[in-house]
Amino acid sequence: MARPVPPLRLLAKSSKQPETPRAEETLVGHTAAVMASAEVLLERTGRDQLSILGLEPETWMTAFKRIVLLACWLHDLGKANDQFQDLVRGGRRGKRQAIRHEALSYYIARTLLNEPLRLRFAPEDLTLALWAGAGHHRKFPPEAPSPGSGHRLLLWTDHTDFRKVLKLGEAKLGLVIPPVSRCELRPARLVQVEFRRRAIEEQRVWRGLSLERRRLLAATKACVIAADVGGSALPRQKGVKLKPWIRAAFDRTPTKNEIEQVVRARLGDHELRDFQKKLGRSTARVTLALAGCGSGKTVAAYHWAASCAPNRRLYFCYPTTGTTTEGFRDYLHGLDVEARLVHGRSAVDVEIFDLFDENVSQQAPVFALEAWSTPVTCCTVDAVLGLIQNQRRALFSWPSLAASAFIFDEVHAYDKRLFGALLRFLEICCGAHCLLMTASLPRARLEAIRTVVEELQIVRGPRELEEHPRYRKEQTKLDELLAEALKNGNRILWVSNSVRTVLEIAEGWALEGPTPLIYHSRFRYMDRVARHGAVIDRFKAPRGIPSIALTTQVCEMSLDISADLLITDLAPVPSLIQRLGRLNRRARPGDGKKPLPFVVLEPEHALPYRKDDLQRARLWLDQLGGVHLSQADLASAWETLGDTMPIEEVESAWTNGGFKTSPLHLRDATYGVTVILAEDAALVRKRKVDPVKVRLPMPQPPRAAWPDYEDWYDKRIHAYVPPAEALNYDALKGGRWNH
C-alpha cells in the first residue's frame, strides 16, 4: 500500500486554492488570528468576564489570560489529520470524520506535547485550557466513529505547517517543543479506550476543583468560543483589521443620555411616576419590579438602566419572539440609539415590519458579531440565559454579556425550566446588574429568587393604578353578554385554550356583527404576523365599531390591545392574569371608566394544561371575592395561594460540564413538528423564499390517519412537507390536520 502523501499546506478552513491559500485559511494563520482575537477580548473585557462571575480580577486575571491563550493555541491542532485535510479540500463527500478535530487536539496535547506543556504550565491551568480548547465546538468528548468513516487516521504532526504552529506557541506562550513525529491512530480504539480512560481521570480532577476554578473554566470556555468566532469571521472581511475592529466594537457603549432618550420619547410631556423614579434610585444589584399591566414598567426599566447601570451595554429580554419584536418597535425603532433586534425570526421581522435603520445593525462589518458592537440589544431571553446551557448565540456574545446590564420582562411567564435557568444565571453571574419585571409572582418563586440573590430590592407599581378597579366578574348568560357588547360597538377578546376550540367557535358564529378575526400559533410565520397586525388594527378602530378576536394563548403577552369584554377558558393563574391584562388596559383613576366585564368558561378538558393547575385557578377565582377587581386583587390572591408554579432545579451545562462540553435545552420540551406546505417547499428549495417566513408549527399528525408521516420529512429544508390531502391550510384561519 502506497504511503500517503501529505498536502502542501495544512488548512484550517476550506479554500478555493488549497495549495496557495490565503493566510487566514491556513492552520497557522487561523490559530494566530484566534489568539490575536483572544488577546483583544481579554484586554477590553477580561476584567468584566471575571467580575460578572464573582472572581476578583486582581487575583485571577493573570491565570485567566494564560489559560485562554493556551486553549486558543491548541484548539485546532487536531486539524492536522488526513481526514480533515481531505474534507476541506472537497473530499469525503457523504462521509463523516472518524473523530472530530478538537478531540484530536486534546489527544495531541495530552500525549505528544504533554511534557513541554507540563514544564510550562501548572497542572490545573493546563487541564482547564485543554477542556476549554477541546470544547470549542460544544461536541466533546467524541462519539464512537460512524460506520464507513475509516479504520485509521494519520496525524501530520511532522508537517512544516504544524511546526509553524508549534513555533507560534513558543513565541506566544514561552513553550520549548522538540520536533514531533507523524502518528497513525485507530479512531475506534482511541474513543472506546483512551477517551473513556481520560474521562474517568478528568472527572476526578473536576471533583477537586474549587468553585472559583469551576467558574474560571466557564469563562475560559466562553471566551475561547468567542475568540474562535472573531478569528474565523473577521479576517475574511475585506478591509477589516481584526484588533482595531474588536477594540472599536467594545468602545461603543450607550450613554445615560441615549437611554434616557427612550424614556423621553415615550413620556412626551408627562413626568415619571413616583414608582418609576424609585426604580431608578435602586441601589441593589438585582431589582424586582412588581407592577401590573399598563403601569409603565417598560419606561421605568429604561430609566433604571440609565440611572443604575450607566455606560453599560443593555440587554432587554422578553419571553417570546412576538413580545421582543413589539418591544423593539414600540421603544427603540426610529430613535437615535444604536440597537438591534435578536431572536430566531428577527431577520424576517426586520423585513416585514420595515425596521431597517442605517444607524443600526446592518452597518456592522460582521453580522454574526453584532453583539460585540451594539450598545442596546432587544432579544428573547434565550439570547442571555442560553449561556447557562451552552447555547451557541449566548456563548458567541459572552464578551458583550459580561459587560452588560440585563432587564428580564414577564418573568412570571417562564416555564419551570426557563425559570430555573434564570435562577442559575442570577446565582452564577453574581456580579451582573439585573432588573426583573412582572405583574405578580407567587411566593415560592419570589423566595427562590431570594435564595440565590443576597441583595434584592423590590419596587412595587403605583398604588393608585394597582388598586384601581378595572375588571368586573360577570354572571350574565354568555349569549346575552355577547349580543349586548356587539350592539354597543364593543371590542371583544375571546381566548380559548386550543386551536380546535377557536376554529369551532368561528365556524359556529351566528351573531350579527363583524366576522371574528382568528389568531393563534398555527399559521405560517408571515401569515401570523399579518393576523397579529390585523387584530391590533381592528382594536384601534374608533369606539362604536364592534370588533371580535378569537385567539389562543398567543394573546397573553405580545398583543397590546384593550378589550371591552373578555371571554376566556379557565387556565393557570398566570395565564388568566395575562389575559385580564388585555381588558380595560388603558383605565386610569379619575377617567370615569367603569370596570369592564370578563367571563371564565370551563373547558371540555384540561389540555394543554395540567388538571391541578386548573384546580388552583378555580381556587384563585373563588379567592378573588368581590365583583369589581383591581390588578392588586389579582396579584394578592395569587401571591397568597401558595406554590402554584413548579420550579425545576436546573443543572448548568456551562459551569458544571467540566471535561464535557455540550449544549442542553433551555426551555421545557415541546412535542410538535415544523411543516412547510408543498408549494412553499418548492420555493424554499430554489432559495426563492426564506424558510422562516413559511414555516408552520403544528402538533404531530394523528398517527391513526397518517401512520407514515415521518416519511414527509425533507432533510434539505429541515421540515415536514405533507401531501395536500393531509393538511387543510387557510391564511385567515390557520392549519389543521385532516383526519
Side-chain angles (χ1 to χ4, degrees):
M1 184 175 179
R3 185 178 178 84
V5 179
L8 185 62
R9 300 299 307 273
L10 292 182
L11 301 181
K13 307 290 179 183
S14 58
S15 174
K16 294 180 180 178
Q17 298 177 302
E19 304 314 318
T20 56
R22 296 167 58 184
E24 63 271 14
E25 295 169 343
T26 66
L27 181 58
V28 64
H30 170 68
T31 303
V34 172
M35 294 185 75
S37 175
E39 286 172 341
V40 188
L41 290 177
L42 291 166
E43 169 196 310
R44 281 291 192 265
T45 69
R47 295 180 65 86
D48 290 317
Q49 292 184 51
L50 294 172
S51 295
I52 195 174
L53 296 173
L55 300 174
E56 182 59 49
E58 280 69 25
T59 302
W60 293 100
M61 194 64 190
T62 300
F64 185 39
K65 287 182 178 179
R66 183 170 62 245
I67 295 168
V68 167
L69 290 177
L70 174 58
C72 289
W73 172 71
L74 60 81
H75 82 290
D76 271 357
L77 291 177
K79 287 182 175 178
N81 77 78
D82 60 335
Q83 289 192 0
F84 181 86
Q85 294 303 313
D86 190 27
L87 180 70
V88 292
R89 286 168 167 80
R92 300 190 66 77
R93 292 191 181 277
K95 293 183 180 180
R96 296 178 59 184
Q97 297 176 80
I99 185 168
R100 292 184 58 87
H101 72 269
E102 60 268 30
L104 293 173
S105 298
Y106 173 88
Y107 174 79
I108 290 170
R110 273 297 191 211
T111 56
L112 306 182
L113 303 179
N114 188 52
E115 285 307 312
L117 288 173
R118 287 173 62 86
L119 289 173
R120 186 73 180 90
F121 291 91
E124 278 195 355
D125 288 355
L126 175 57
T127 296
L128 298 192
L130 286 170
W131 292 355
H136 74 278
H137 283 300
R138 309 173 306 134
K139 295 180 179 180
F140 183 81
E143 298 177 349
S146 58
S149 58
H151 296 292
R152 67 120 182 97
L153 186 146
L154 283 175
L155 295 181
W156 303 115
T157 43
D158 60 343
H159 197 286
T160 302
D161 278 1
F162 190 83
R163 184 59 194 165
K164 289 179 181 178
V165 178
L166 299 185
K167 288 290 186 183
L168 181 64
E170 292 175 346
K172 291 284 188 179
L173 302 169
L175 293 167
V176 179
I177 307 175
V180 182
S181 301
R182 185 179 306 183
C183 183
E184 180 175 316
L185 303 174
R186 301 290 176 179
R189 178 175 176 77
L190 188 65
V191 172
Q192 295 168 5
V193 178
E194 180 69 11
F195 273 98
R196 287 181 183 180
R197 180 177 66 83
R198 290 288 179 185
I200 294 171
E201 293 175 353
E202 302 287 33
Q203 187 60 31
R204 293 196 193 100
V205 176
W206 169 254
R207 288 195 293 266
L209 290 181
S210 65
L211 175 63
E212 291 80 8
R213 279 274 172 177
R214 293 184 178 195
R215 292 189 175 182
L216 185 67
L217 172 62
T220 302
K221 286 185 175 182
C223 189
V224 170
I225 288 172
D228 187 38
V229 173
S232 298
L234 287 168
R236 290 176 175 241
Q237 304 301 310
K238 189 175 181 180
V240 172
K241 294 184 178 180
L242 188 148
K243 286 190 173 183
W245 188 92
I246 296 176
R247 289 192 180 101
F250 285 101
D251 284 342
R252 296 166 71 179
T253 56
T255 65
K256 179 176 182 178
N257 187 60
E258 286 174 329
I259 300 300
E260 285 287 5
Q261 181 190 152
V262 181
V263 178
R264 293 192 298 270
R266 192 69 177 185
L267 288 178
D269 296 331
H270 298 283
E271 294 292 324
L272 286 167
R273 297 191 178 112
D274 287 342
F275 109 93
Q276 293 168 326
K277 293 178 181 177
K278 185 176 180 181
L279 206 60
R281 293 194 297 268
S282 175
T283 57
R285 182 185 69 81
V286 179
T287 304
L288 173 62
L290 288 171
C293 299
S295 60
K297 289 197 299 291
T298 305
V299 169
Y302 281 104
H303 178 59
W304 169 87
S307 303
C308 301
N311 302 316
R312 282 185 171 271
R313 281 189 174 78
L314 179 64
Y315 279 79
F316 204 122
C317 307
Y318 294 90
T320 67
T321 58
T323 50
T324 304
T325 297
E326 290 298 315
F328 182 82
R329 290 173 67 192
D330 291 347
Y331 288 89
L332 294 170
H333 180 56
L335 296 182
D336 188 22
V337 178
E338 289 188 85
R340 68 181 188 130
L341 175 66
V342 175
H343 58 69
R345 300 162 178 158
S346 56
V348 172
D349 282 358
V350 165
E351 177 184 339
I352 291 175
F353 294 116
D354 191 23
L355 297 179
F356 177 80
D357 187 324
E358 64 179 2
N359 295 317
V360 188
S361 58
Q362 283 76 7
Q363 276 195 340
V366 182
F367 186 79
L369 299 182
E370 280 187 315
W372 296 7
S373 61
T374 306
V376 180
T377 298
C378 188
C379 59
T380 50
V381 66
D382 310 61
V384 173
L385 296 189
L387 186 69
I388 299 302
Q389 301 300 10
N390 282 335
Q391 297 287 319
R392 180 184 290 107
R393 177 178 287 159
L395 290 171
F396 288 175
S397 303
W398 163 247
S400 177
L401 293 173
S404 297
F406 306 92
I407 299 169
F408 297 99
D409 197 14
E410 309 281 14
V411 297
H412 66 274
Y414 291 9
D415 63 44
K416 64 181 184 297
R417 184 167 179 80
L418 189 59
F419 192 81
L422 173 64
L423 295 177
R424 292 288 76 74
F425 178 84
L426 295 175
E427 177 186 35
I428 295 165
C429 296
C430 55
H433 287 74
C434 300
L435 172 64
L436 316 179
M437 301 200 300
T438 179
S440 182
L441 203 64
R443 185 179 301 154
R445 288 203 166 189
L446 178 57
E447 291 307 313
I449 293 172
R450 290 187 189 277
T451 61
V452 297
V453 176
E454 292 183 3
E455 185 183 1
L456 177 68
Q457 183 169 340
I458 300 175
V459 179
R460 297 188 178 270
R463 187 172 180 179
E464 66 277 9
L465 283 180
E466 298 292 310
E467 297 182 354
H468 179 60
R470 286 172 50 177
Y471 318 119
R472 185 177 82 240
K473 279 206 290 188
E474 189 55 63
Q475 307 299 325
T476 307
K477 289 184 178 180
L478 183 58
D479 288 348
E480 295 176 13
L481 198 62
L482 276 169
E484 172 126 4
L486 291 169
K487 178 183 176 181
N488 294 335
N490 288 343
R491 300 158 181 173
I492 305 164
L493 177 63
W494 192 330
V495 189
S496 300
N497 292 346
S498 72
V499 174
R500 180 177 63 84
T501 305
V502 167
L503 296 176
E504 287 175 353
I505 294 170
E507 289 169 356
W509 186 259
L511 294 176
E512 294 182 3
T515 301
L517 287 172
I518 297 171
Y519 179 46
H520 52 73
S521 62
R522 293 181 199 164
F523 285 96
R524 298 186 306 168
Y525 186 64
M526 59 192 296
D527 295 332
R528 178 172 172 173
V529 169
R531 292 290 82 208
H532 182 101
V535 172
I536 289 178
D537 290 344
R538 179 77 68 86
F539 275 65
K540 284 181 179 178
R543 290 193 177 276
I545 301 176
S547 307
I548 180 165
L550 305 177
T551 81
T552 58
Q553 301 89 322
V554 298
C555 76
E556 291 176 7
M557 285 174 286
S558 60
L559 205 58
D560 186 9
I561 61 173
S562 182
D564 303 310
L565 168 63
L566 172 69
I567 304 165
T568 175
D569 281 353
L570 184 71
V573 177
S575 293
L576 290 177
I577 291 177
Q578 285 298 110
R579 295 175 191 187
L580 281 163
R582 313 308 111 184
L583 176 65
N584 207 10
R585 191 173 176 85
R586 320 296 181 207
R588 296 291 183 272
D591 61 9
K593 294 181 179 179
K594 296 180 180 179
L596 295 180
F598 72 94
V599 176
V600 179
L601 306 176
E602 277 287 341
E604 291 183 11
H605 49 72
L607 294 175
Y609 305 114
R610 300 186 310 176
K611 290 182 179 179
D612 57 339
D613 286 335
L614 296 191
Q615 180 55 31
R616 285 185 176 276
R618 295 184 188 98
L619 295 174
W620 175 76
L621 286 168
D622 291 341
Q623 197 166 309
L624 286 177
V627 174
H628 290 181
L629 301 166
S630 67
Q631 290 261 322
D633 294 325
L634 307 183
S636 177
W638 190 25
E639 290 170 5
T640 58
L641 192 58
D643 184 8
T644 62
M645 297 187 73
I647 303 168
E648 182 172 334
E649 286 290 331
V650 170
E651 185 85 358
S652 170
W654 180 45
T655 55
N656 295 330
F659 176 65
K660 180 180 179 181
T661 304
S662 60
L664 293 177
H665 291 298
L666 182 64
R667 298 174 184 256
D668 287 343
T670 56
Y671 301 96
V673 294
T674 298
V675 166
I676 294 182
L677 303 177
E679 56 269 31
D680 293 328
L683 297 174
V684 170
R685 293 186 194 106
K686 295 176 182 177
R687 299 187 178 181
K688 291 184 176 181
V689 66
D690 188 330
V692 174
K693 287 185 178 181
V694 294
R695 284 178 186 151
L696 169 61
M698 292 291 294
Q700 293 180 351
R703 191 170 287 278
W706 308 105
D708 301 323
Y709 77 85
E710 288 94 345
D711 296 339
W712 301 344
Y713 191 75
D714 188 332
K715 293 181 179 179
R716 292 170 293 175
I717 59 176
H718 307 291
Y720 290 82
V721 184
E725 64 270 19
L727 180 66
N728 185 351
Y729 185 79
D730 185 299
L732 299 181
K733 296 180 180 179
R736 69 175 100 178
W737 294 114
N738 292 323
H739 292 199

